[in-house]
Amino acid sequence: MSCPIHPRRLFLCLLISLAFFVVDPSSQHIEVKKKQMREKVREMFYHAYDNYMTYAFPHDELKPLTKSFTDSLSELGNLKLEHLPTDYNGSAVTLVESLSSLAILGNSTEFEKGVLWLSENLTFDIDARVNLFECNIRVLGGLISAHLLAIDPNNRLIQGSYNNQLLRLAEDLGKRFLPAFETPTGLPYAWINLKNGVMENETTETSTSGCGSLVLEMGALSRLTGDPRFESAALRALRQLWRMRSSLDLLGTTLDVVTGEWIEYSSSIGAGVDSFYEYLLKAYILFGKEDYWRMFHSAYLASQKYFRHGPWYHEANMWSGKPTYWQLTSLQAFWPGLQVLVGDIAAANSSHREFFHVWEKFGVLPERYLLDHQIIHPTMKYYPLRPELAESTFYLYQATKDPWYLDVGESMVKSLNLYTKVPGGFASVRDVTTMQLEDHQHSFFLAETCKYLYLLFDDSFVAKRNYIFTTEGHPIQVVSSWHEKLPETYFSGNWTLSKSGAWESRASALSLQVCPLISLNSRHPEQQRESACHVLDEQINHKCWSNKECGVDATTCRLRTCSGVGYCGLWNPL
């Protein structure tokens, strides 16, 4: 800038010029705070990881109170270990789950040591009955993610030779999953014996998330190996599940894989269904198949219409849409993070604040909280170090850069260290009203909880590359070569342009990543895009008797209300 050289104005001009170079003190404070919190989370991770390596490795998970171990490969889903050979030493599930976190923390030495050990020692040729869903997201997902991180030259995680050992292990495991899909419906059994396939008289009951949340890992495995069987099996199951939805586009919680009939009709965004929504959206991002987006969009609109009650989401009957259970479950806390990916920031922020309010009330998040009575569920008072609230906090900070979310993360770190840290690691909470502890450090504490808290305060790992995170927190980089066709619009930082450089008329909330979806093209400022948060009014003529009959506005994502003369609209001021 230029300034007139005048004695009276020289000092003022100097101050104005310096203002362009002075760093905002509040910004400096935030950066200092982020560095401090990053180091605290790093200490948490290594306290948990080092104790696992000392007292539990190569077994599956750590028991931090007694400094011992549990072989949980076939306990995932709370089933006792059966028929294992006497020399079985575990599958090092926590090590597999920790590899991507070690990469994000920049510990190439420990990452490479883990890869070498798994390459030489891990085997799936064991007589063990495992939960397909849990083994898929924890073990298969962990191996695939670590493989992709190992071959990425930008990470420089492997100093020696790497010959796709983790991918070969993943392929072996994937092949052992395939017999589970051999059902009349194509829906997989919930349990599979890694050595012998489906056991005689195996239960035919599974959950929506259990058979509808396999496509990320198995799809990635097909892309990496060239073997289409994995993705085909997962996709067939997903499409069959979608065909079983009600006329309201709702799905129940549990079903029979042989008959294709629903067992539990209650529908929700929580346990038993949660990752079904997540994988529809993330599969669209990762693979570019329009079917995923169409399914997600319909399912998302239905969830907004039938589950949402202000900032909360209750459960509803899949056939009638009427409420069934008014309860918060801790797994629901992933939802605001998913809404960030859709672009529905206002709704995400609203729900996230209510979840955090419950966290503040008890010090951690109870497994179930009865919304209608404002009390904890009497038999589900535990907190097993779940990551979902940390995950949503990370996504919302990335979307808004509001420092309040850093305060949320700091509060969570303090609570975890105060209530769950013990000399032998971090213990689950058996009862949040007394903070009585339980002797279990789940592998997802290292795979997700610590990871998302670390990324909240240091996002350098994701700053210049596009990743999706699986439901177990394992990063998979989004690459165009995995898309069956280039999507109509594609990402470039925070803005999305079509290949021609103009806005595509079919651009979606997902591709634009903003809500309201207003075109930023100055040549066509009047253009608007329909948002995925759009919920139609019940009546085409917009007449109503109550607010329940009104939807959500397409471009502002605000709830529409019923006016005094009986019409839905944006009557309430912001």
Side-chain angles (χ1 to χ4, degrees):
M1 63 178 291
S2 61
C3 294
I5 306 301
H6 189 285
R8 294 182 183 180
R9 299 177 182 173
L10 183 60
F11 182 68
L12 177 60
C13 184
L14 180 61
L15 289 178
I16 294 173
S17 300
L18 286 173
F20 286 90
F21 303 99
V22 174
V23 178
D24 181 3
S26 62
S27 176
Q28 271 188 323
H29 171 73
I30 289 173
E31 290 306 312
V32 170
K33 178 180 179 179
K34 286 168 69 175
K35 289 180 180 178
Q36 291 174 342
M37 293 308 303
R38 176 192 67 189
E39 294 310 306
K40 288 185 178 181
V41 177
R42 186 191 297 272
E43 291 174 7
M44 288 172 56
F45 174 85
Y46 283 115
H47 181 69
Y49 179 79
D50 290 344
N51 273 288
Y52 163 74
M53 295 301 292
T54 300
Y55 299 111
F57 177 79
H59 296 269
D60 292 347
E61 291 184 319
L62 172 68
K63 300 175 74 171
L65 298 180
T66 56
K67 296 182 179 179
S68 57
F69 60 84
T70 174
D71 281 319
S72 63
L73 181 62
S74 42
E75 292 177 357
L76 302 176
N78 299 319
L79 192 76
K80 296 287 186 180
L81 200 64
E82 296 176 351
H83 310 305
L84 287 181
T86 57
D87 59 348
Y88 176 66
N89 289 321
S91 296
V93 171
T94 296
L95 176 60
V96 174
E97 290 252 73
S98 298
L99 289 179
S100 60
S101 296
L102 289 167
I104 288 173
L105 269 64
N107 191 337
S108 58
T109 301
E110 200 66 24
F111 179 91
E112 186 169 16
K113 282 171 57 180
V115 170
L116 291 174
W117 188 92
L118 293 171
S119 303
E120 296 172 358
N121 296 279
L122 184 59
T123 178
F124 299 117
D125 190 28
I126 51 176
D127 183 12
R129 179 176 178 262
V130 301
N131 182 278
L132 177 66
F133 169 74
E134 294 288 356
C135 200
N136 174 72
I137 64 172
R138 298 194 192 198
V139 184
L140 183 62
L143 291 172
I144 290 172
S145 177
H147 165 73
L148 290 169
L149 292 167
I151 63 174
D152 186 342
N154 296 313
N155 295 324
R156 299 178 181 178
L157 293 169
I158 302 291
Q159 302 302 314
S161 62
Y162 176 72
N163 298 311
N164 300 327
Q165 300 99 307
L166 298 184
L167 179 59
R168 288 197 294 273
L169 284 168
E171 185 177 16
D172 176 43
L173 182 59
K175 289 177 179 177
R176 296 173 188 274
F177 286 172
L178 292 178
F181 294 85
E182 296 173 3
T183 64
T185 61
L187 298 167
Y189 284 95
W191 298 89
I192 184 79
N193 184 289
L194 291 179
K195 193 179 189 74
N196 303 312
V198 178
M199 303 292 287
E200 188 177 357
N201 298 321
E202 183 59 81
T203 178
T204 59
E205 182 176 347
T206 190
S207 66
T208 296
S209 56
C211 60
S213 308
L214 306 168
V215 74
L216 285 185
E217 294 84 359
M218 297 191 74
L221 184 59
S222 282
R223 305 303 168 102
L224 290 167
T225 62
D227 186 340
R229 291 180 297 166
F230 310 114
E231 184 173 9
S232 295
L235 184 54
R236 182 191 175 202
L238 181 59
R239 284 176 170 160
Q240 173 61 25
L241 191 62
W242 184 244
R243 283 192 288 268
M244 293 168 57
R245 72 193 187 280
S246 72
S247 60
L248 306 179
D249 286 335
L250 298 177
L251 295 92
T253 304
T254 59
L255 59 142
D256 190 295
V257 301
V258 173
T259 65
E261 296 179 354
W262 289 102
I263 298 172
E264 172 56 62
Y265 299 152
S266 188
S267 184
S268 72
I269 61 169
V273 191
D274 49 357
S275 54
F276 166 77
Y277 296 97
E278 179 184 3
Y279 272 36
L280 285 177
L281 179 57
K282 290 182 177 179
Y284 174 65
I285 298 173
L286 189 60
F287 303 126
K289 187 186 290 290
E290 290 290 333
D291 285 356
Y292 293 128
W293 173 252
R294 284 191 286 267
M295 286 187 282
F296 171 77
H297 191 228
S298 298
Y300 183 77
L301 295 185
S303 72
Q304 295 296 95
K305 184 173 183 178
Y306 296 106
F307 303 153
R308 187 174 177 179
H309 183 77
W312 297 110
Y313 289 81
H314 57 73
E315 299 180 26
N317 183 283
M318 65 177 289
W319 305 112
S320 67
K322 294 181 179 179
T324 52
Y325 303 109
W326 291 80
Q327 61 185 5
L328 169 153
T329 64
S330 62
L331 289 172
Q332 291 177 354
F334 90 100
W335 190 252
L338 187 69
Q339 290 183 304
V340 169
L341 292 180
V342 180
D344 199 350
I345 306 299
N349 173 65
S350 176
S351 295
H352 176 274
R353 287 176 182 266
E354 295 301 326
F355 279 110
F356 183 59
H357 175 69
V358 176
W359 177 287
E360 286 187 305
K361 183 176 181 178
F362 296 103
V364 293
L365 197 61
E367 189 70 0
R368 292 200 180 190
Y369 183 75
L370 303 179
L371 297 173
D372 45 354
H373 300 292
Q374 295 291 297
I375 60 172
I376 299 175
H377 191 286
T379 63
M380 306 192 80
K381 300 180 179 181
Y382 54 90
Y383 169 67
L385 307 175
R386 289 204 188 277
E388 285 76 16
L389 186 59
E391 175 185 2
S392 288
T393 304
F394 159 68
Y395 278 112
L396 274 161
Y397 180 69
Q398 286 294 307
T400 66
K401 297 303 179 184
D402 185 340
W404 181 79
Y405 295 107
L406 299 177
D407 295 337
V408 171
E410 182 177 14
S411 177
M412 295 180 70
V413 169
K414 287 181 178 178
S415 291
L416 288 167
N417 280 300
L418 177 62
Y419 298 120
T420 71
K421 186 177 181 180
V422 295
F426 285 84
S428 300
V429 178
R430 185 186 299 273
D431 185 338
V432 302
T433 62
T434 63
M435 289 302 172
Q436 178 188 2
L437 298 179
E438 184 175 356
D439 197 11
H440 200 167
Q441 178 182 286
H442 290 274
S443 61
F444 56 67
F445 180 71
L446 289 159
E448 299 182 82
T449 310
C450 290
K451 178 182 290 156
Y452 285 122
L453 287 171
Y454 186 86
L455 287 171
L456 172 65
F457 300 113
D458 184 347
D459 64 358
S460 57
F461 177 79
V462 297
K464 295 182 180 180
R465 282 171 285 180
N466 287 322
Y467 286 97
I468 57 101
F469 288 85
T470 70
T471 197
E472 193 70 7
H474 297 304
I476 300 177
Q477 192 167 358
V478 180
V479 291
S480 60
S481 61
W482 282 17
H483 283 240
E484 295 187 356
K485 63 181 183 63
L486 283 175
E488 285 84 357
T489 55
Y490 57 93
F491 297 110
S492 177
N494 290 330
W495 313 120
T496 301
L497 297 175
S498 70
K499 288 171 283 186
S500 64
W503 292 102
E504 282 281 350
S505 60
R506 291 183 62 200
S508 66
L510 173 63
S511 62
L512 292 184
Q513 294 236 309
V514 289
C515 181
L517 295 178
I518 299 174
S519 171
L520 299 175
N521 190 330
S522 58
R523 290 176 294 176
H524 304 285
E526 74 286 352
Q527 278 189 290
Q528 295 182 338
R529 317 293 183 201
E530 182 181 10
S531 171
C533 64
H534 185 201
V535 176
L536 298 173
D537 299 332
E538 286 195 5
Q539 302 297 326
I540 297 176
N541 59 10
H542 309 294
K543 288 185 178 181
C544 57
W545 289 98
S546 68
N547 290 341
K548 291 182 179 180
E549 298 169 78
C550 301
V552 179
D553 187 67
T555 56
T556 66
C557 294
R558 288 171 53 199
L559 288 172
R560 292 160 62 83
T561 55
C562 192
S563 69
V565 294
Y567 282 90
C568 294
L570 295 175
W571 309 118
N572 294 331
L574 286 170

